[in-house]
């Protein structure tokens, strides 16, 4: 049986959010769309693509079984199933790549260490010119 990438993705989502997938899905249903909802949607799309790969692989194996006769009519079914399998694999790989990249960018990080407050150096105050002297000079 092939390795399921969706299982790995589910584990990474659970690790990132610190809760089982079922709990996260229940929580996301009552929330506005956000990163968790996007990750869960990507996970479900990936799981569906994996199911599609499995289905088409098994169907192709049935169509080309050694005990089965392959005539002109069956060839078109074999080719169509092979095409669908190739599409399902491409979708699965694209979904896995996208969700993995997003998860990689969302790794838990520690907050920045607080830096000491910079010492404030007060600039010497410049006295304003007296209002009376300034208006008397302007009048002259």
């Amino acid at each position: 049986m092939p390795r399921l990438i969706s299982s790995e993705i589910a584990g990474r989502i659970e690790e990132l959010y610190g809760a089982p997938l079922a709990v996260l899905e229940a929580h996301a249903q009552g929330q506005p769309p956000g990163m968790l909802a996007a990750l869960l949607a990507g996970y479900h799309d990936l799981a569906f693509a994996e199911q599609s790969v499995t289905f088409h692989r098994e169907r192709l194996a049935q169509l080309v079984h050694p005990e089965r006769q392959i005539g002109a009519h069956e060839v078109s079914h074999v080719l169509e199933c092979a095409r669908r399998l190739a599409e399902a694999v491409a979708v699965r790989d694209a979904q896995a790549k996208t969700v993995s990249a997003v998860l990689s960018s969302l790794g838990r990080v520690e907050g920045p260490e607080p830096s000491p407050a910079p010492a404030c150096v007060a600039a010497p105050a410049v006295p304003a010119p007296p209002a009376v002297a300034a208006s008397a000079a302007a009048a002259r």
Side-chain angles (χ1 to χ4, degrees):
M1 181 168 187
R3 167 186 80 122
L4 294 179
I5 301 166
S6 62
S7 298
E8 294 175 20
I9 296 296
R12 290 173 61 190
I13 293 171
E14 290 174 340
E15 182 181 317
L16 180 66
Y17 284 90
L21 206 58
V23 171
L24 294 172
E25 288 177 340
H27 175 73
Q29 287 182 6
Q31 301 294 319
M35 185 54 67
L36 177 58
L39 287 172
L40 291 173
Y43 160 75
H44 287 294
D45 291 344
L46 176 58
F48 181 76
E50 286 177 337
Q51 289 173 353
S52 183
V53 168
T54 300
F55 173 81
H56 291 298
R57 185 183 61 238
E58 290 172 357
R59 179 69 180 131
L60 187 59
Q62 290 172 351
L63 290 171
V64 296
H65 192 273
E67 296 176 9
R68 185 177 171 126
Q69 291 289 330
I70 299 179
H73 177 72
E74 288 79 17
V75 169
S76 65
H77 292 289
V78 170
L79 290 174
E80 179 63 17
C81 189
R83 183 189 65 76
R84 288 180 184 216
L85 176 59
E87 287 176 358
V89 168
V91 168
R92 182 208 51 205
D93 291 350
Q95 289 289 340
K97 184 176 180 179
T98 301
V99 175
S100 292
V102 171
L103 277 170
S104 294
S105 73
L106 295 175
R108 289 184 184 243
V109 294
E110 300 297 322
E113 292 186 25
S115 58
C120 293
V121 178
V126 178
V132 174
S135 60
R140 292 188 196 164

